[in-house]
Amino acid sequence: MNNTNTRRIGKAIVGISLSLLVSMSGNILLTSESAHAASTATAASSTAANRIIASGKTFLGTPYKFGAKTGVTRSFDCSSFTQYLYKKVGVRIPRSSRDQSKAGKYVSKSKLKAGDLVFSDTNRDGVINHVSIYIGNGKLLHTYRVGIGVTISTFKGSTWDRTYVTARRVL
């Protein structure tokens, strides 16, 4: 092989190598930007969940009233409570638990994260009639029944677990 052919092959190899290097570094940049965006979104939803939970806990003991007016904080029903708390962090959800159960994205019971909404059919008539906020560590923040009001309950084995229908992630 003569010197000219050797140089051409060498330049071709260098050119291909540089092209591959540039192409791969672009993918690395895109991947790291995507990972950063995903971690930022996760951190934002975690912060919103923490704010919702902290705010909700300030209402512990607030009386339950079926059909409580939206935005009124002297009493809540389950869905006015969730709607009020999520609105405080800029997330709009419908008024009724049945309609809230269609908002956001489905999440399985085994993948619940703090801030997810948990829906139950406590009447066992095929209709969602209760919403709770999963706060982590197997606990729910919610309001129900006159005399109980806003409270924290254990999820596993509870009425809300036995009558569980679905969960939604709206953050």
Side-chain angles (χ1 to χ4, degrees), residues 64 77-79 97-98 100-101 117-123 127-133 140-145 153 159-160 163 165-166:
Y64 172 85
D77 65 15
C78 63
S79 57
S97 57
R98 190 172 318 137
Q100 288 177 11
S101 73
L117 297 173
V118 175
F119 298 91
S120 302
D121 169 14
T122 60
N123 294 335
V127 178
I128 288 171
N129 64 353
H130 187 69
V131 59
S132 308
I133 302 167
L140 299 172
L141 174 65
H142 58 146
T143 185
Y144 71 100
R145 198 182 313 150
S153 302
T159 297
W160 303 280
T163 60
V165 176
T166 191

Side-chain angles (χ1 to χ4, degrees), residues 133-160:
I133 302 167
Y134 186 75
I135 63 172
N137 298 318
K139 302 287 185 186
L140 299 172
L141 174 65
H142 58 146
T143 185
Y144 71 100
R145 198 182 313 150
V146 172
I148 295 177
V150 176
T151 190
I152 294 174
S153 302
T154 298
F155 183 41
K156 187 174 183 181
S158 69
T159 297
W160 303 280

Side-chain angles (χ1 to χ4, degrees), residues 57-79:
K57 286 179 176 180
T58 68
F59 291 102
L60 287 171
T62 299
Y64 172 85
K65 180 181 178 187
F66 180 76
K69 288 188 176 187
T70 301
V72 174
T73 60
R74 69 179 168 272
S75 64
F76 294 103
D77 65 15
C78 63
S79 57

Side-chain angles (χ1 to χ4, degrees), residues 10-27:
K11 285 182 181 181
I13 290 172
V14 168
I16 292 169
S17 297
L18 284 173
S19 295
L20 285 171
L21 182 64
V22 168
S23 135
M24 290 175 75
S25 66
N27 286 340

Side-chain angles (χ1 to χ4, degrees), residues 20-97:
L20 285 171
L21 182 64
V22 168
S23 135
M24 290 175 75
S25 66
N27 286 340
I28 290 168
L29 277 174
L30 288 175
T31 302
S32 82
E33 286 176 12
S34 298
H36 176 69
S39 96
T40 301
T42 300
S45 68
S46 178
T47 300
N50 291 338
R51 288 176 47 211
I52 287 165
I53 293 162
S55 179
K57 286 179 176 180
T58 68
F59 291 102
L60 287 171
T62 299
Y64 172 85
K65 180 181 178 187
F66 180 76
K69 288 188 176 187
T70 301
V72 174
T73 60
R74 69 179 168 272
S75 64
F76 294 103
D77 65 15
C78 63
S79 57
S80 71
F81 183 59
T82 54
Q83 186 184 48
Y84 175 80
L85 294 174
Y86 283 77
K87 185 176 182 182
K88 285 183 75 168
V89 298
V91 176
R92 296 197 181 275
I93 56 175
R95 172 61 178 87
S96 74
S97 57

